[in-house]
Every structure is written in C-alpha cells, then in structure tokens.
Amino acid sequence: VFSRNLIAPINSLKKAAIKLSAGNLSARADISVNRKDELGILGRDFNSMANQLELLISSQKRLLADISHELRSPLTRLKMATGLAQMQANDASQSYLLRIEKEANQLDKMIADVLQVSRLEAKSQALSLQKQSLQIIIDHVINDAQFEAKQNNKQLNIVGAVDVNINCDETLIASALENLLRNAIKYANNTISITLKHTDAIYIEICDDGSGVPDAQLSKLCEPFFRQSDARDRVSGGTGLGLAIAKNAITAHGGSLVLSNKELGGLCANITLPLIKE
C-alpha cells in the first residue's frame, strides 16, 4: 500500500510529462487536491505550469489567426488599387506595378495558408468528407508533380498503387500530397520516389535524393514557419507552412505523417491513413 501510494503519483506525472512534450497541451497529472506531501505539491505545480503553457500557446495561435484575418481587407484594397493603377500607368511604371501585384499575391497566399493551419490546429475547419478513390486523387496530384519535376530536370518514380476508397476531404488530402511532393522536388538532386501500398492501412512514402536535414530538426519541420537555416530558407521561396498544412490535414483524417532521413541521403515523408471498415 505504501509503495503504491508513492509510485502512483510519480507514474501519473511521468505520463503527463510525456503527453505534454508530445504536444498534448491538455495533459495533466492525476494528483489528489487533498495530498499535502511533496509529491502532491509537485503535481499541482506541474498542472499549474501545464495550464499556463496551454493558455500561452492557445493565445499565440489565436493572435496569429486574428492578425492574418484582419490583414486580408487592406490587402484586398491594395490589389484593387494596383489593378486600377495598371490601367492608367505608362510603360515605365508597369514593371513596378507588376512587382507590387506579385508580392501582394504571394502575401495573400501566405495569409490563406496561415489561416488554414490555424483552423486545422484548432480543429475548427469543417471537413467535406466523401467516400472516393484515393488512387484517383493521387493520380491528379502526380500528373501536376511530373510536369513540375520535368521543368526542373528531375524524375518521379512511382511504385505500387492504392486502389481503395477512403472517407476524405479531397481538397485537403490533395493539398497535403501536393505540398509534400513539391517539397521533395525542390530539394531532390535527381529523383523523387513514391511508394504506394495498403494492407491494414494505407501507406504512402515520398522520398527525395537530396541532402536531408539534421536529425535534431526532423521533429520541427512540420512546425509553422520553421525552415532549416542552410537549404530550406526563404531564398528558396518557402514560407515554412507547406509541411505544417500537410501534417494537420493528414491528422484531421485520422492519419499520421512521419519524416525521416534516408541512409544514403535524402528526406522521406511516410504517410499512414486508415482504411474504410466495411
């Protein structure tokens, strides 16, 4: 009885700490409020810290979403004003106005991506779920990716197929696959390999033959706005939102996305999606 009374709160603290470090901000230690010893004090301090972390991170995400939403109105007015100015501008000014239009469109896309990540993380985006063939969705995405790879003198190798039906939001799943494939095409040296199979679940692997990323940064790649300092920076045109959208879109469908380095070099994205249980 004494051992159980001593070990139970320690195990509860350990489990809560593991869940909290994995991103589950609602994790709390199961410590009785009537416990007055050191373990009781430690457990309540831990829960107080977890409450503060959840509040701070939730406030940060809400602030980012609110700012992004408020930016859309002035950005829309800026694009309208640019369009009107282009109608009246002389040839010398057109190049500057085209540059403004390009930057405004890029900013508009970034804001849309931020809002999508915020909605997915908050689980507030309504999914338009329909039973449909995953292979058809993949084929459409691969067709576009093959064209992009060809323009960059790179090759896509596809192995296997997943001719199964799943309940999914086609737009979200296609967006996730497109972001992962574009990422692979951007950082591959020559070849991008796609492996498709299904057994107890659906498995999709997308690998490039690039330089990969440091192992310490693998867990951070799917965080919004994170870019590796060397290869994956703003100079390459990325905003650090594509992988965040991909992971949250896959998670919203009950699946998982795991990134890993290949032994011979390159980054692999392993997607797992559940099958429909007939």
Side-chain angles (χ1 to χ4, degrees), residues 70-87 96-109 111:
E70 293 300 322
L71 282 173
R72 303 208 86 171
S73 295
L75 181 59
T76 300
R77 292 193 292 271
L78 173 64
K79 292 169 70 175
M80 291 176 61
T82 303
L84 292 172
Q86 284 177 325
M87 296 170 61
Y96 297 107
L97 291 171
L98 288 172
R99 182 66 182 182
I100 293 172
E101 184 182 27
K102 179 183 177 181
E103 295 296 338
N105 288 333
Q106 185 173 349
L107 183 58
D108 191 26
K109 184 182 184 306
I111 291 172

Side-chain angles (χ1 to χ4, degrees), residues 95-136:
S95 60
Y96 297 107
L97 291 171
L98 288 172
R99 182 66 182 182
I100 293 172
E101 184 182 27
K102 179 183 177 181
E103 295 296 338
N105 288 333
Q106 185 173 349
L107 183 58
D108 191 26
K109 184 182 184 306
M110 187 188 301
I111 291 172
D113 288 345
V114 170
L115 288 172
Q116 186 174 29
V117 169
S118 299
R119 286 193 294 264
L120 287 169
E121 286 185 339
K123 297 180 174 59
S124 62
Q125 177 159 334
L127 302 183
S128 178
L129 297 176
Q130 292 183 349
K131 182 178 178 180
Q132 50 196 313
S133 170
L134 180 59
Q135 187 63 50
I136 293 176

Side-chain angles (χ1 to χ4, degrees), residues 125-196:
Q125 177 159 334
L127 302 183
S128 178
L129 297 176
Q130 292 183 349
K131 182 178 178 180
Q132 50 196 313
S133 170
L134 180 59
Q135 187 63 50
I136 293 176
I137 298 173
I138 292 174
D139 286 342
H140 289 318
V141 175
I142 287 178
N143 285 337
D144 293 337
Q146 282 178 329
F147 177 79
E148 187 172 336
K150 188 176 180 180
Q151 300 301 311
N152 290 277
N153 297 317
K154 298 174 185 179
Q155 182 178 358
L156 259 65
N157 293 331
I158 301 116
V159 178
V162 282
D163 192 13
V164 293
N165 292 328
I166 63 169
N167 280 322
C168 71
D169 185 317
E170 181 179 354
T171 302
L172 269 185
I173 289 293
S175 175
L177 295 172
E178 181 182 349
N179 279 318
L180 291 170
L181 274 172
R182 282 189 168 180
N183 194 72
I185 292 169
K186 183 183 297 182
Y187 298 110
N189 291 326
N190 300 297
T191 307
I192 303 94
S193 60
I194 304 168
T195 305
L196 309 169

Side-chain angles (χ1 to χ4, degrees), residues 38 47 71-72 87 117 125 143 145 166 193 214 223 226 243 260 267 273 277:
E38 287 80 0
N47 287 341
L71 282 173
R72 303 208 86 171
M87 296 170 61
V117 169
Q125 177 159 334
N143 285 337
I166 63 169
S193 60
E223 295 179 4
F226 178 81
L243 291 178
S260 60
L267 185 71
L273 289 168
K277 293 182 179 180

Side-chain angles (χ1 to χ4, degrees), residues 224-256:
F225 299 109
F226 178 81
R227 292 180 300 274
Q228 191 206 346
S229 59
D230 295 330
R232 300 164 189 266
D233 56 16
R234 188 161 296 187
V235 176
S236 65
T239 60
L241 289 169
L243 291 178
I245 291 174
K247 182 175 182 179
N248 282 285
I250 292 167
T251 302
H253 288 82
S256 64

Side-chain angles (χ1 to χ4, degrees), residues 3-20:
S3 297
R4 187 163 57 248
N5 186 53
L6 187 65
I7 293 173
I10 296 175
N11 285 335
S12 179
L13 273 167
K14 179 183 176 181
K15 291 177 182 177
I18 291 172
K19 289 180 180 178
L20 192 65

